[in-house]
Amino acid sequence: GQQLNQSPQSMFIQEGEDVSMNCTSSSIFNTWLWYKQDPGEGPVLLIALYKAGELTSNGRLTAQFGITRKDSFLNISASIPSDVGIYFCAGTSYNTDKLIFGTGTRLQVFP
Amino acid sequence: DAGVTQSPTHLIKTRGQQVTLRCSPKSGHDTVSWYQQALGQGPQFIFQYYEEEERQRGNFPDRFSGHQFPNYSSELNVNALLLGDSALYLCASSWWGTDDNQPQHFGDGTRLSIL
């Protein structure tokens, strides 16, 4: 099935470091969302973006909707152990709610 | 405020059998979408229900069918199970409304294992 290109695939960082991950698509998206998934649980919505160029923060998380409408990034500042998990980007095209997901970025945080 | 709830949490079936998974949407939501998440991959869209009708469908065979009830809850049915159907099945709910800004919220899924 269709998936967005998400990078990096995995990250191993030290507590307190900043993290950046991004997501690209070959087609234009109308909405970009970022979810976090912990083992045995469903994805939890972190940030939703609805306009090209939009920059939105949620605590230590910041995400941007790319100007070309074909990419998005997520930054996490001052990482903590509970940031461990898999981060997924997802997008929707115009006039559909069907979410297309990225391949995921697995984040490990060491004390 | 109850979030999206799914049942059962785990299920083991054998090839050829049929399975029914259930989902109750978040309070205030009227639209339910189903996704299949294989191990190590992102979720894949199966279909979406609103007003008891299938509104959109992903690239899944007819063995996958669904239903939505008047109380907005939903079922996912899979017939003639294959080994490749082993996955985490996620339900997401949202509000159809007239505003495009309605993100989907997910349940914790049903882990289906086919032997």
Side-chain angles (χ1 to χ4, degrees), chain A residues 67-90:
Chain A
I67 290 292
T68 65
R69 307 180 74 93
K70 292 183 178 182
D71 64 330
S72 177
F73 73 74
L74 174 71
N75 287 340
I76 305 173
S77 62
S79 58
I80 59 178
S82 63
D83 290 334
V84 167
I86 303 177
Y87 291 79
F88 287 101
C89 62

Side-chain angles (χ1 to χ4, degrees), chain A residues 5-95:
Chain A
N5 296 314
Q6 193 171 341
S7 64
Q9 187 174 19
S10 60
M11 302 182 74
F12 299 84
I13 63 169
Q14 205 154 20
E15 185 176 355
E17 289 184 357
D18 296 343
V19 170
S20 184
M21 59 191 78
N22 69 348
C23 199
T24 60
S25 169
S26 58
S27 56
I28 290 173
F29 276 169
N30 203 42
T31 303
W32 284 95
L33 305 111
W34 286 90
Y35 289 87
K36 178 176 182 275
Q37 188 173 26
D38 292 328
E41 298 183 9
V44 173
L45 181 66
L46 300 174
I47 293 180
L49 303 158
Y50 300 104
K51 295 179 183 177
E54 180 181 356
L55 184 71
T56 298
S57 293
N58 178 9
R60 293 178 297 105
L61 277 60
T62 301
Q64 185 160 30
F65 191 142
I67 290 292
T68 65
R69 307 180 74 93
K70 292 183 178 182
D71 64 330
S72 177
F73 73 74
L74 174 71
N75 287 340
I76 305 173
S77 62
S79 58
I80 59 178
S82 63
D83 290 334
V84 167
I86 303 177
Y87 291 79
F88 287 101
C89 62
T92 63
S93 301
Y94 178 72
N95 214 28

Side-chain angles (χ1 to χ4, degrees), chain A residues 1-3 30-31 33 35 37 40-45 48 50-51 86 88 92 94-104 106, chain B residues 31 33 35 37 40-45 48 56-59 88 90 92 94-96 100-109 111:
Chain A
Q2 183 183 4
Q3 285 193 322
N30 203 42
T31 303
L33 305 111
Y35 289 87
Q37 188 173 26
E41 298 183 9
V44 173
L45 181 66
Y50 300 104
K51 295 179 183 177
I86 303 177
F88 287 101
T92 63
Y94 178 72
N95 214 28
T96 175
D97 289 344
K98 170 185 170 182
L99 281 173
I100 305 297
F101 277 82
T103 48
R106 182 180 297 273
Chain B
T31 303
S33 301
Y35 293 80
Q37 186 177 23
Q41 298 185 18
Q44 296 285 323
F45 176 78
Q48 181 184 70
Q56 298 179 73
R57 189 178 183 92
N59 188 26
L88 179 68
L90 295 163
S94 56
W95 179 58
W96 187 269
D100 288 336
N101 299 349
Q102 299 295 331
Q104 294 177 32
H105 294 261
F106 285 82
D108 285 338
R111 172 71 62 187

Side-chain angles (χ1 to χ4, degrees), chain B residues 33-90:
Chain B
S33 301
W34 287 92
Y35 293 80
Q36 180 194 66
Q37 186 177 23
L39 202 60
Q41 298 185 18
Q44 296 285 323
F45 176 78
I46 302 175
F47 44 52
Q48 181 184 70
Y49 277 83
Y50 169 66
E51 289 190 329
E52 303 179 48
E53 291 187 11
E54 183 182 293
R55 298 291 176 163
Q56 298 179 73
R57 189 178 183 92
N59 188 26
F60 280 80
D62 291 344
R63 298 187 297 110
F64 289 77
S65 64
H67 189 77
Q68 186 179 33
F69 299 94
N71 67 352
Y72 308 125
S73 67
S74 176
E75 289 182 349
L76 164 65
N77 301 294
V78 187
N79 294 323
L81 287 166
L82 304 174
L83 292 177
D85 295 332
S86 295
L88 179 68
Y89 287 86
L90 295 163

